[in-house]
Amino acid sequence: MLAVEAMLREKNLKVTPQRLALVCELRDKGHLSIEELYYSLKSKFPSISLATIYKNLNAMIDNCFVEEVKLPNVKSRYEISKDLHSHVICQECGKICDIDIDLSSVLKCDTISNSGFEVQKSALVISGTCCDCQAKKQK
Amino acid sequence: MLAVEAMLREKNLKVTPQRLALVCELRDKGHLSIEELYYSLKSKFPSISLATIYKNLNAMIDNCFVEEVKLPNVKSRYEISKDLHSHVICQECGKICDIDIDLSSVLKCDTISNSGFEVQKSALVISGTCCDCQAKKQK
DNA sequence: CTGACTGCAAACGTTTTGCACGGTA
DNA sequence: TACCGTGCAAAACGTTTGCAGTCAG
């Protein structure tokens, strides 16, 4: 919590209760959609508006504190920036998981290095069917 | 051209001049945005409407003939479905390239196989600075 | 000839903006 | 106290829908 406040101040973002709750929500639950954030915060702050969610997310994205995760077929999710990781999404139930995959060898392949392209970021999204949903489908 | 017509008929999509031009545009230029498609087709069909672009793209996406490519910071692009490949995007000039990267070993990693997740698709987007833009920045 | 496609306009959902008020630092 | 953040309402934006007319098969 203190760490979160310090991070916000470091980015010249004031520490308001709404903003603090938003960050904690993202930190605890990870990759949330706008709606999930909105309804979740609405329980703590009944008068909170969608505009506040948007403004805060955008401010934090501008400060590289939060990242948008674009996924196939569904709306974007938002998460606190952390070490490079990939996402796995089940097309049946929509469940999203983080996964640590070492892409360094892939990103150093000849095609890229020969082209002179300087890699800064990479995003890998794997979609398919999770274990539970496979079981359900077999029934 | 004949191949394109055959593909459309196979999917029960009628071959109209607008649709044919849209597909050829995608085939020749690859990963185009809605606006790029619109203005490009407007030169051939001055009365074409955005609704037609949207309806056609959606029909073709439903038939797995076209795919949406979601990219960081910019609007989605659309391309004709083809073999699995990744995308490289320059954050300076916005240039997008296809790249063939073998992700099979990555997708077979222990974390995924142990979880019982069945992988159906994967999308890797690499962003950074292209060779040309690196040169420009050094000036 | 029939059903599908086009193009226009309206509707819709999402995101952004402007502004007055309130809270942080 | 000065400025930033909040919340409301309105505006802007992108996309979808409904419909009448047209075209492909």
Side-chain angles (χ1 to χ4, degrees):
Chain A
M1 193 69 126
L2 284 172
V4 170
E5 294 187 27
M7 280 177 174
L8 287 174
R9 291 208 178 86
E10 195 184 328
K11 304 285 190 180
N12 290 315
L13 297 172
K14 292 195 173 176
V15 179
T16 66
Q18 293 91 333
R19 188 168 277 168
L20 206 50
L22 190 155
V23 175
C24 289
E25 199 66 17
L26 283 179
R27 182 196 54 186
D28 297 341
K29 302 192 186 158
H31 36 71
L32 296 173
S33 67
I34 299 277
E35 287 72 29
E36 286 167 338
L37 277 168
Y38 179 54
Y39 290 112
S40 164
L41 293 199
K42 212 165 174 57
S43 61
K44 293 183 192 170
F45 304 93
S47 66
I48 202 169
S49 71
L50 265 173
T52 298
I53 309 281
Y54 280 108
K55 284 172 185 169
N56 276 325
L57 280 179
N58 287 336
M60 290 165 158
I61 288 172
D62 291 344
N63 282 292
C64 300
F65 185 55
V66 164
E67 283 176 26
E68 180 181 358
V69 184
K70 292 190 177 184
L71 301 164
N73 307 321
V74 298
K75 289 185 193 158
S76 290
R77 309 291 149 137
Y78 298 85
E79 65 182 16
I80 295 187
S81 305
K82 46 184 169 176
D83 291 346
L84 180 62
H85 63 284
S86 303
H87 292 99
V88 177
I89 178 167
C90 174
Q91 294 294 339
E92 302 294 324
C93 65
K95 190 176 155 197
I96 302 162
C97 295
D98 285 356
I99 183 174
D100 280 313
I101 292 187
D102 183 15
L103 290 173
S104 56
S105 60
V106 160
L107 298 178
K108 281 177 196 145
C109 74
D110 290 346
T111 321
I112 296 179
S113 47
N114 289 344
S115 72
F117 190 92
E118 184 196 357
V119 175
Q120 279 148 14
K121 266 184 23 179
S122 67
L124 173 61
V125 178
I126 299 166
S127 50
T129 313
C130 73
C131 196
D132 294 348
C133 288
Q134 285 173 53
K136 282 176 198 159
K137 283 176 106 178
Q138 284 179 357
K139 285 180 187 171
Chain B
M1 194 68 126
L2 284 172
V4 170
E5 295 187 26
M7 281 177 175
L8 288 174
R9 292 207 178 89
E10 195 183 331
K11 305 284 190 183
N12 290 315
L13 297 172
K14 292 197 173 175
V15 179
T16 65
Q18 292 90 335
R19 187 169 278 166
L20 205 50
L22 190 156
V23 175
C24 289
E25 199 66 18
L26 283 178
R27 181 197 54 187
D28 296 342
K29 302 193 186 157
H31 35 71
L32 295 173
S33 66
I34 299 278
E35 286 71 30
E36 285 167 338
L37 277 168
Y38 180 54
Y39 290 112
S40 165
L41 294 199
K42 212 166 175 54
S43 61
K44 292 182 192 170
F45 304 93
S47 67
I48 202 169
S49 72
L50 264 174
T52 298
I53 309 281
Y54 279 107
K55 286 171 184 168
N56 276 324
L57 281 179
N58 287 336
M60 291 166 156
I61 289 172
D62 291 345
N63 282 292
C64 300
F65 185 56
V66 164
E67 282 176 27
E68 180 181 358
V69 184
K70 291 190 176 184
L71 301 164
N73 307 323
V74 298
K75 290 186 192 158
S76 290
R77 309 292 150 133
Y78 298 85
E79 65 182 14
I80 296 186
S81 304
K82 47 184 170 176
D83 292 346
L84 179 62
H85 62 282
S86 303
H87 292 98
V88 177
I89 177 167
C90 173
Q91 294 294 340
E92 302 295 323
C93 65
K95 189 176 156 197
I96 302 162
C97 296
D98 285 355
I99 183 174
D100 281 313
I101 291 186
D102 183 15
L103 290 173
S104 56
S105 60
V106 161
L107 298 178
K108 281 177 196 146
C109 73
D110 290 346
T111 321
I112 296 180
S113 46
N114 290 343
S115 72
F117 190 91
E118 183 197 356
V119 175
Q120 279 147 13
K121 266 186 22 178
S122 67
L124 173 61
V125 178
I126 299 165
S127 49
T129 313
C130 74
C131 196
D132 293 349
C133 289
Q134 286 174 51
K136 282 177 198 158
K137 282 174 106 177
Q138 283 178 358
K139 284 179 190 171

